[in-house]
Amino acid sequence: MGVAAKIAPSMLSSDFANLASEAERMLKFGADWLHMDIMDGHFVPNLTIGAPVIESLRKHTKAYLDCHLMVTNPLDYVEPLAKAGASGFTFHVEVSKDNWQQLIQEIKSKGMKAGVALKPGTPIEEVESENPVEMVLVMTVEPGFGGQKFMPETMDKVRKLRQKYPSLDIEVDGGLGPSTIDAAASAGANCIVAGSSVFGAPEPSEVISVLRKSVEEAQLNS
């Protein structure tokens, strides 16, 4: 059996005015994690949420808050997010080549799980050193905005990572839904971030179930 399937609805697609009830709704529909997109308006042009929103949401849920930091200075966010109650802290390799040992140490010392993310154009070699992260996030769209089309060419990176690290959590984010999940699952992704395909569905629970089933079936057949 491979690494467990984890379905993480992207809260960027939720109704931010009702974040607590949206989180509860997703968990009721079968979500494993809640994916929180933290953007600084600098590393990516968009500006979203930060530690105060994570802290507010944490008061209403015990869920695993999977925080994806699309920011230029991730080190500045480690302490505030840990205090706010983040569960996982995924930073981008493109901005942390100089200090990522320190970054990973800081994240883990604050009790969060460390993950590293890479943009579609970033080669997998950038993360294939012996840096002990617990998750690698392969972006399947350019980071910064929801609702983009899935880029199938990014699946080569997932395949290479899975071959090399059979027990690593490999997350994919961007354009994931019933029509693209099989490509990601068969490449070896087990953590699936889905925004509009879940939140925009008449029956979100059915979409979450389709995503999970695809990952589990791909693992059985691998």
Side-chain angles (χ1 to χ4, degrees), residues 95-124:
V95 290
S96 48
K97 292 188 184 101
D98 304 332
N99 65 345
W100 83 331
Q101 292 289 11
Q102 182 198 359
L103 195 47
I104 290 166
Q105 262 174 321
E106 291 278 326
I107 293 166
K108 291 184 170 183
S109 75
K110 299 279 189 289
M112 297 180 290
K113 284 198 169 178
V116 62
L118 58 164
K119 291 176 169 187
T122 303
I124 200 71

Side-chain angles (χ1 to χ4, degrees), residues 10-209:
S10 171
M11 300 308 286
L12 189 61
S13 297
S14 73
D15 173 6
F16 271 15
N18 296 295
L19 203 51
S21 60
E22 290 276 74
E24 196 179 320
R25 192 166 73 99
M26 287 300 126
L27 295 165
K28 197 177 80 201
F29 288 149
D32 302 280
W33 291 357
L34 299 174
H35 188 78
M36 312 300 294
D37 287 300
I38 294 167
M39 309 181 192
D40 63 358
H42 189 261
F43 178 68
V44 287
N46 211 350
L47 188 64
T48 54
I49 61 169
V53 174
I54 300 294
E55 189 179 0
S56 301
L57 181 58
R58 178 47 83 211
K59 292 176 183 143
H60 298 274
T61 184
K62 292 186 169 66
Y64 186 96
L65 299 180
D66 174 34
C67 297
H68 174 199
L69 283 286
M70 287 165 267
V71 301
T72 304
N73 298 306
L75 205 51
D76 297 348
Y77 290 75
V78 176
E79 192 152 316
L81 276 176
K83 282 187 176 151
S87 314
F89 186 111
T90 300
F91 60 90
H92 266 267
V93 65
E94 296 87 2
V95 290
S96 48
K97 292 188 184 101
D98 304 332
N99 65 345
W100 83 331
Q101 292 289 11
Q102 182 198 359
L103 195 47
I104 290 166
Q105 262 174 321
E106 291 278 326
I107 293 166
K108 291 184 170 183
S109 75
K110 299 279 189 289
M112 297 180 290
K113 284 198 169 178
V116 62
L118 58 164
K119 291 176 169 187
T122 303
I124 200 71
E125 289 68 32
E126 300 278 352
V127 299
E128 282 198 304
S129 59
E130 296 312 304
N131 285 290
V133 290
E134 288 152 282
M135 183 171 82
V136 175
L137 164 54
V138 174
M139 289 299 296
T140 46
V141 298
E142 286 299 332
F145 296 93
Q148 295 180 68
K149 281 219 184 324
F150 176 78
M151 298 164 79
E153 61 274 22
T154 54
M155 290 305 101
D156 285 345
K157 290 194 259 192
V158 175
R159 254 185 292 280
K160 283 181 191 161
L161 277 170
R162 180 54 73 214
Q163 279 161 1
K164 197 164 176 184
Y165 306 106
S167 59
L168 179 72
D169 272 334
I170 301 175
E171 186 166 66
V172 282
D173 179 2
L176 270 306
S179 63
T180 50
I181 182 60
D182 289 349
S186 62
N190 69 299
C191 302
I192 311 297
V193 178
S196 36
S197 67
V198 169
F199 283 93
E203 299 288 344
S205 58
E206 279 175 24
V207 177
I208 289 173
S209 157

